[in-house]
Amino acid sequence: MKIEQGVALSQMTTVGIGGPARGLARPRTMADLEEALAWADEQRVAVRPIGLGSNLLAADAGVDALVVRLEGELAAVEARGSMLVAGGGASNAVCLHRARGAGLGGFEFACAIPGTAGGGVRMNAGAYGSDWKAILVRALLVDASGARWRTAAELELSYRHSALVPGQVVAQVEFQLIARAGAEIKETVAAMQARRKETQPTNKRTFGSVFKNPDHEFGAGRMIELCGLKGHRVGGATISSRHGNFIENAGGATADQAIALMTEARSRVLDRFGVVLEREVDFLGELELPPVGTPPG
Ligand SMILES: Cc1cc2nc3c(=O)[nH]c(=O)nc-3n(C[C@H](O)[C@H](O)[C@H](O)COP(=O)(O)OP(=O)(O)OC[C@H]3O[C@@H](n4cnc5c(N)ncnc54)[C@H](O)[C@@H]3O)c2cc1C
């Protein structure tokens, strides 16, 4: 299994930010994956799986880890009866295409989530009232000690959370879907995508939602907007003028600039609403949000 060196994470993340990975493996089979994980174990290097990098902010200095991106068989998708079986590296777009082709519905909600089947498990990705938890039967988790299936309940999926620990690779997933006409799926997807375009920056370099929505009458984006931060810019990083919970790379943005915007947004939201926003975006490499204090009372 070839381990590539010095590949910039900016090429592997949707926001286009990030320095080099110590190593990059692109396993295409279970044997390749096991070999890559054994290499990392021997070298005592941390393993960080990556999907389409659509929820990741990677450090400008890069990451001292073996980044693993699943390809080939590990990104293939097939329908088996009413089950959709996908490699962890399969993009949601391909999963949706295969499901529609097989007359299977229930995955439409993922049409605007630009990630992979495996990344969706880690984040319990969701939209339009559904999420991975609603359709996931089980996932095959692999680390240096071997492979084991875990059910959705064992994975403890909840709002943008799973019990997956760093270094565990989701190599395959099984989704339980339901019979639905292809035309009906197409119509639902078109309506969802149109809704997205109206409210979110769909043609910019972003990493999706910056913060989780707190338990509050306002979502994180609305709070940031009410703090007057839409369009606020640090270097090449900008809080989207379309949706307050997105940071755009307007050209040459760095992770430090994105962190500066996140820090400002958290502090202003705490002052105005007494709410500490929790980040949704995952960090890769040595990145940290400075502490923001605790809400009054
Ligand atoms: C424009 C835009 C819109 C978005 N809209 C939504 C939305 O509506 N709902 C939503 O939930 N998210 C949304 N996101 C965020 C993102 O697409 C999801 O979180 C997605 O599930 C991440 O998948 P990924 O494969 O790109 O994971 P990555 O971003 O590559 O990684 C995210 C995390 O998952 C882990 N991971 C990735 N692959 C694997 C694997 N095979 N095994 C184990 N761990 C893995 C990584 O280590 C990391 O911790 C959006 C992002 C963008 C850019």
Side-chain angles (χ1 to χ4, degrees):
M1 171 86 264
K2 186 176 156 209
I3 308 286
E4 298 165 55
Q5 269 153 16
V7 179
L9 289 157
S10 56
Q11 293 169 29
M12 289 187 284
T13 54
T14 53
V15 74
I17 292 177
R22 170 148 167 205
L24 169 67
R26 303 174 193 256
R28 301 183 65 81
T29 62
M30 276 297 277
D32 286 350
L33 175 59
E34 281 157 7
E35 200 184 313
L37 296 178
W39 178 88
D41 195 43
E42 268 164 39
Q43 305 284 321
R44 299 188 178 280
V45 176
V47 170
R48 288 299 306 263
I50 192 172
L52 292 176
S54 62
N55 201 41
L56 279 178
L57 180 62
D60 301 318
V63 55
D64 187 21
L66 176 69
V67 171
V68 176
R69 184 173 213 168
L70 306 179
E71 297 185 353
E73 279 175 23
L74 301 175
V77 188
E78 65 168 322
R80 289 186 201 153
S82 60
M83 197 88 94
L84 195 75
V85 181
S91 73
N92 298 339
V94 170
C95 291
L96 181 57
H97 183 75
R98 290 274 186 282
R100 183 157 68 90
L104 293 175
F107 198 70
E108 295 88 322
F109 73 90
C111 65
I113 306 178
T116 61
V121 173
R122 166 75 172 76
M123 304 307 300
N124 185 28
Y128 304 112
S130 194
D131 57 13
W132 256 236
K133 184 180 178 183
I135 55 168
L136 185 76
V137 177
R138 57 180 193 158
L140 181 65
L141 308 189
V142 187
D143 60 21
S145 67
R148 63 205 74 84
W149 286 97
R150 288 285 177 265
T151 63
E154 286 167 335
L155 287 162
E156 297 171 22
L157 302 183
S158 61
Y159 176 57
R160 305 297 173 266
H161 169 269
S162 70
L164 224 68
V165 295
Q168 280 180 323
V169 180
V170 175
Q172 199 172 54
V173 305
E174 292 176 355
F175 296 122
Q176 182 63 62
L177 302 179
I178 45 166
R180 187 166 294 154
E184 201 185 318
I185 294 172
K186 204 171 167 183
E187 207 177 299
T188 307
V189 165
M192 286 173 171
Q193 281 172 340
R195 251 167 88 186
R196 268 299 155 116
K197 273 203 182 124
E198 272 171 30
T199 55
Q200 291 183 10
T202 49
N203 58 351
K204 305 278 186 199
R205 302 207 75 166
T206 73
F207 43 72
S209 295
V210 180
F211 299 107
K212 295 183 184 181
N213 282 321
D215 190 9
H216 191 277
E217 61 170 313
F218 297 136
R222 180 79 179 126
M223 287 179 168
I224 293 167
E225 179 179 356
L226 289 169
C227 291
L229 286 171
K230 268 183 157 183
H232 186 62
R233 183 170 182 146
V234 175
T238 309
I239 295 184
S240 170
S241 48
R242 203 168 177 99
H243 194 299
N245 202 21
F246 282 76
I247 289 177
E248 296 172 8
N249 178 354
T254 65
D256 288 346
Q257 291 164 357
I259 297 267
L261 286 179
M262 291 170 74
T263 305
E264 175 78 10
R266 284 178 99 210
S267 149
R268 297 273 287 273
V269 165
L270 177 62
D271 284 351
R272 175 146 183 192
F273 298 99
V275 168
V276 176
L277 291 178
E278 193 188 329
R279 73 180 155 88
E280 178 167 326
V281 58
D282 205 1
F283 288 165
L284 199 50
E286 300 284 312
L287 288 178
E288 220 180 321
L289 266 185
V292 70
T294 46

